[in-house]
Amino acid sequence: MKRWMLALILSLALFAQAQSPGGSLTVSFKDDISTLDPAIGYDWQNWSIIKAIFGGLMDYQPGTTQLVPHFAQSYTISKDGKSYTFQLRKGIRFHNGREMVAADVKYSLERMLNPKTQSPGAGFYGGITGAGDYTAGKANEVRGIVTPDPYTVRILLDKPDASFLHKMALNFSFIVPKEAVEKAGADFGHHPVGAGAFRLKEWKLGQRLVLERNPDYFLKGLPYLDSLVFLVGQDPNVAFLKLQRGEVDILGDGIPPAKFVDVMRDPNLKKQVVVGNQLMTGFVSLNTQVKPLDNPKVRQALNMAINKERIIRIINNRAVPAVQVLPPGMPGYDPNYKGYPYDPAKARQLLQEAGFPNGFSTVLYANNTDPNPRIAQAIQQDLAQIGVKAELRTQAQSTVIQAGGTKGQAPMIWSGGMAWIDDYPDPSDFYWPILSCSSAVPGGWNWSWYCNKALDRRAEAADAMVQPGQEAARAKAYQDIFAEVMKDAPWIPIFHEKRYLMHSPKVGGSDAVLVDPIHTPVNYAQLYVKK
């Protein structure tokens, strides 16, 4: 492992030397950046920015889903799969100049698990021994996070978890210096201090955020850029014009739908577009705790009412229809599963059987960034065909997220703009944070408020398959779990979207990092300016 990692670092360093360092790139976003606190940030805009400022024990080889040690030099796993020992690299320094040590890892994980932090990712780490007592206020520390010396961290689990290394590459586990957090207090998210490739230089709320190169970053030669500028409050159509004028280099919100056909027909503009697959599912959440959506037959009827092919045409065919929770390419995806067909007549029949022969009224929330209002209108029209009157509430993304995390508030949410994109490439990530009983909590992302304890137990059993050779059996176990989820129909899966990233001619970087499957939307540390 150590020799392999050394070879990777050397190859990255050589690649870095092949680029011309320096320069700056500008990224546009419509919505403001809410926070850069890795324990809290969970939005499209801040996900990759946080990855650029901070880091964790694990990461992924750029442009791939292959796990590699990051701030950890190496790791070992016990035979029973319940103990992970990480050896930290020496000499890694936070942006304030202090060396990172094992105590920082323990502090960061405990801070994230502390209910006062209100981390949306805390549920990922509930399996660490002692986490429950700590979050309940019964202990002053998490006893399963042990630091035998300044460069060793041992994490004990209550039970084996085949996805645990992925979780140590998640933003929520990223390492922060205690003194910087205590100095900034509740405003740490606007005064972030990490040990990543970039550090914060300037932040004018509602206008721009500027990152500058971290000269002490442990991967020598990276990042290539001197700075990154994020312009917020940019209408996507205006940002598109700015890109053509050379004022913007990356469209963070993608190509405006109204411009997509023209871009793809123009040979010169098409050269500036990188296309990639992504592990995502766009869906409508159906709140299982709100009448009449608490009736499975009603939810099944709604699944049959939506014309997904028509919705995909709204986004210029940039997706494939979804019939299940998992996206293609994810272990456990079932290519033979047919799901609920588009059948309005059958939908009306199910509504009648459920006691709603004349339909009912409800509310559908959606992000107000185009094309989401148009997609929501198409869903509204389809529902009207079976007698369901859905009032549309198209609002800012943060408002929709808040509504979804408030029990009983949002009967239906079109997830566009916030569609579930993998946190890590494992089927458990499409279950525990969005469909499990543990995620049906205020502020969580289980907007369906769905809870099936029997499926939770089956998912726990699947996650205990940690030994080599059990990968196929584990994938089949999750395949069966998601088939049961679809019987309960807490979602209407709509589509699996492809990624179309448009950039200016001066943006350098491989296609793989421009549509990086993990550093979404872009792996900023790997970009450079073409000379």
Side-chain angles (χ1 to χ4, degrees):
M1 178 63 73
K2 291 181 180 178
R3 288 195 298 271
W4 182 90
M5 193 59 192
L6 177 61
L8 173 64
I9 293 172
L10 288 173
S11 66
L12 287 173
L14 290 173
F15 181 70
Q17 293 172 9
Q19 311 309 318
S20 299
S24 179
L25 294 176
T26 300
V27 184
S28 66
F29 283 117
K30 174 181 177 291
D31 292 326
D32 203 354
I33 297 160
S34 57
T35 179
L36 292 177
D37 186 334
I40 298 173
Y42 211 8
D43 297 340
W44 170 263
Q45 296 95 329
N46 64 30
W47 192 251
S48 278
I49 302 175
I50 288 171
K51 287 184 181 296
I53 295 174
F54 298 89
L57 297 177
M58 302 293 294
D59 196 4
Y60 297 86
Q61 190 168 349
T64 77
T65 59
Q66 182 177 338
L67 274 167
V68 293
H70 191 58
F71 290 157
Q73 177 176 276
S74 62
Y75 64 88
T76 57
I77 308 172
S78 63
K79 290 183 179 180
D80 65 3
K82 295 197 294 184
S83 176
Y84 289 72
T85 302
F86 299 90
Q87 297 298 323
L88 291 183
R89 300 180 189 279
K90 296 181 179 180
I92 291 180
R93 298 195 175 277
F94 290 115
H95 299 154
N96 62 9
R98 180 174 66 78
E99 185 182 18
M100 178 188 297
V101 292
D104 295 308
V105 180
K106 180 176 175 66
Y107 167 77
S108 300
L109 291 173
E110 290 179 343
R111 172 179 178 266
M112 176 268 301
L113 285 165
N114 191 324
K116 293 180 180 179
T117 304
Q118 295 184 315
S119 172
F124 287 115
Y125 306 90
I128 297 176
T129 300
D133 287 343
Y134 178 74
T135 56
K138 298 177 181 179
N140 294 324
E141 65 173 349
V142 179
R143 66 179 184 276
I145 305 174
V146 184
T147 55
D149 63 62
Y151 300 101
T152 304
V153 179
R154 183 171 296 114
I155 301 178
L156 310 177
L157 306 181
D158 290 330
K159 54 196 172 189
D161 179 359
S163 66
F164 184 69
L165 286 177
H166 287 291
K167 294 173 182 177
M168 300 314 293
L170 272 179
N171 292 14
F172 305 118
S173 71
F174 283 2
I175 305 163
V176 299
K178 181 179 180 179
E179 66 273 16
V181 174
E182 292 183 341
K183 179 180 179 181
D187 207 28
F188 179 70
H190 291 100
H191 299 278
V193 177
F198 291 92
R199 61 192 183 191
L200 180 64
K201 179 181 180 181
E202 174 192 342
W203 192 348
K204 293 183 178 180
L205 295 180
Q207 299 180 46
R208 56 190 265 140
L209 182 147
V210 181
L211 303 184
E212 64 180 357
R213 186 178 189 273
N214 173 15
D216 298 321
Y217 190 49
F218 81 101
L219 287 175
K220 299 304 178 185
L222 290 178
Y224 307 125
L225 299 173
D226 286 335
S227 64
L228 268 167
V229 179
F230 296 90
L231 298 180
V232 300
Q234 301 291 308
D235 178 272
N237 290 294
V238 175
F240 175 76
L241 295 176
K242 287 185 175 182
L243 185 141
Q244 291 182 297
R245 295 198 299 261
E247 299 170 19
V248 165
D249 298 302
I250 294 174
L251 298 179
D253 294 308
I255 304 169
K259 305 292 184 182
F260 181 80
V261 173
D262 292 339
V263 168
M264 299 309 288
R265 285 177 176 171
D266 186 313
N268 292 323
L269 292 178
K270 188 176 180 180
K271 290 178 183 178
Q272 297 171 220
V273 178
V274 180
V275 183
N277 294 317
Q278 57 182 336
L279 298 174
M280 71 81 68
T281 302
F283 62 94
V284 175
S285 61
L286 305 176
N287 194 322
T288 60
Q289 305 301 309
V290 172
K291 292 184 179 300
L293 301 180
D294 59 341
N295 187 321
K297 279 194 174 182
V298 170
R299 301 195 299 267
Q300 292 167 357
L302 300 185
N303 265 272
M304 293 184 173
I306 307 303
N307 186 339
K308 300 172 186 179
E309 296 284 359
R310 182 167 74 106
I311 291 173
I312 290 172
R313 288 197 292 273
I314 292 173
I315 60 169
N316 305 114
N317 298 308
R318 288 184 283 176
V320 296
V323 298
Q324 58 191 292
V325 173
L326 290 181
M330 179 69 77
Y333 174 80
D334 186 353
N336 298 313
Y337 180 77
K338 302 301 181 184
Y340 295 96
Y342 172 53
D343 191 339
K346 178 64 175 176
R348 286 190 291 269
Q349 179 185 332
L350 283 174
L351 283 183
Q352 184 169 1
E353 293 174 5
F356 299 94
N358 300 315
F360 58 90
S361 297
T362 187
V363 179
L364 172 64
Y365 285 74
N367 181 346
N368 60 10
T369 300
D370 191 55
N372 294 303
R374 291 188 290 128
I375 291 174
Q377 288 168 4
I379 294 169
Q380 179 190 46
Q381 292 163 5
D382 286 344
L383 293 177
Q385 296 300 311
I386 64 168
V388 175
K389 300 177 181 64
E391 173 195 343
L392 287 190
R393 293 185 186 173
T394 52
Q395 300 173 331
Q397 175 170 300
S398 59
T399 305
V400 178
I401 292 172
Q402 183 178 17
T406 303
K407 189 172 185 179
Q409 181 169 336
M412 302 174 65
I413 298 177
W414 159 240
S415 69
M418 304 154 291
W420 197 254
I421 303 173
D422 66 310
D423 298 295
Y424 51 89
D426 186 272
S428 64
D429 183 45
F430 276 73
Y431 184 80
W432 291 110
I434 48 178
L435 289 165
S436 68
C437 296
S438 60
S439 62
V441 295
W445 285 74
N446 186 344
W447 296 339
S448 296
W449 294 83
Y450 176 70
C451 174
N452 186 323
K453 293 181 179 179
L455 291 185
D456 276 11
R457 290 191 291 270
R458 287 170 59 178
E460 288 177 358
D463 288 345
M465 298 179 182
V466 299
Q467 300 304 325
Q470 291 186 303
E471 294 86 358
R474 182 168 179 267
K476 180 62 169 65
Y478 263 110
Q479 187 177 96
D480 295 341
I481 288 168
F482 284 110
E484 292 297 318
V485 168
M486 286 308 301
K487 287 182 182 178
D488 287 339
W491 280 15
I492 307 173
I494 301 295
F495 56 58
H496 306 295
E497 192 172 2
K498 290 182 175 292
R499 291 174 61 188
Y500 288 75
L501 182 109
M502 188 171 186
H503 60 83
S504 71
K506 76 175 188 180
V507 175
S510 70
D511 287 357
V513 301
L514 286 168
V515 287
D516 194 297
I518 303 299
H519 291 246
T520 305
V522 182
N523 191 328
Y524 297 120
Q526 301 289 328
L527 300 183
Y528 59 92
V529 174
K530 290 182 179 178
K531 302 298 184 181

